[in-house]
Amino acid sequence: MHLRRVKASDREVYLKMVHDFYHSPAVLHPVPDEHFERTFEEILRSDVYSDGFLLEDEDGRCMGYAVTAKGFSQECGGQFVWVDELYVLPDHQGKGVGTEALRQLQAYYPDCKRFRLEVEPDNKDAARLYQRLGFEVLPYRQYVMDKF
């Protein structure tokens, strides 16, 4: 499995996977499809805020996708990367694809001081994966205020 940056010709496959992800038990609620389009356009426009990747096998067949968001944190003393989404297609789940994707993401951002991600409480397989790879549960709640 390897990561490669999303390119314009990936639009349909990317948007289909994102739609499927947001209509799966791995997320708490669906998101409007317009958000997926905006994210895709931002990923193509610049790498300042976000990066998008396809997960592919050795023959270039798609196995999933990952989207990251980047920032700087005083708390961790540098750049952090939020693994905003990591989706492995159902046929490839449980085969080490998620583990390898997270390893390659860490290698892609060598100066990153912290990686963050979130998991829906019922997604126990993903939670086990993240904990096995060294991610720790944060002991506080996160709050959001959407303005759209």
Side-chain angles (χ1 to χ4, degrees):
M1 195 288 309
H2 70 278
L3 294 174
R4 81 159 168 79
R5 288 188 54 82
V6 167
K7 54 189 176 191
S9 60
D10 297 322
R11 176 182 295 277
E12 284 189 40
V13 70
Y14 170 84
L15 292 175
K16 167 87 170 84
M17 285 189 294
V18 175
H19 177 84
D20 291 349
F21 174 67
Y22 274 95
H23 291 83
S24 77
V27 296
L28 293 175
H29 57 84
V31 171
D33 287 348
E34 306 86 67
H35 293 200
F36 312 150
E37 290 276 354
R38 271 192 295 234
T39 300
F40 187 80
E41 291 303 321
E42 179 60 27
I43 288 168
L44 293 180
R45 185 190 73 77
S46 167
D47 65 353
V48 172
Y49 300 110
S50 186
D51 289 314
F53 304 91
L54 289 190
L55 319 177
E56 294 182 329
D57 69 12
E58 60 278 352
D59 295 321
R61 289 184 298 251
C62 188
M63 302 170 80
Y65 77 93
V67 173
T68 60
K70 301 178 276 188
F72 192 92
S73 169
Q74 183 164 268
E75 181 179 332
C76 70
Q79 181 189 33
F80 70 88
V81 171
W82 183 289
V83 182
D84 192 32
E85 295 173 18
L86 175 59
Y87 176 65
V88 177
L89 291 168
D91 288 349
H92 301 288
Q93 292 175 5
K95 299 177 181 176
V97 175
T99 298
E100 185 59 25
L102 287 166
R103 287 189 179 131
Q104 289 187 32
L105 285 170
Q106 290 173 342
Y108 190 85
Y109 300 104
D111 298 327
C112 179
K113 302 293 185 197
R114 175 177 286 167
F115 282 85
R116 290 187 70 156
L117 46 75
E118 62 189 13
V119 63
E120 193 273 322
D122 291 336
N123 195 346
K124 305 225 184 288
D125 290 338
R128 277 192 298 277
L129 166 65
Y130 303 148
Q131 289 177 346
R132 183 172 46 80
L133 294 176
F135 288 86
E136 299 175 18
V137 175
L138 292 174
Y140 56 83
R141 293 180 184 220
Q142 185 169 320
Y143 294 84
V144 299
M145 178 189 293
D146 289 331
K147 298 186 96 175
F148 53 86

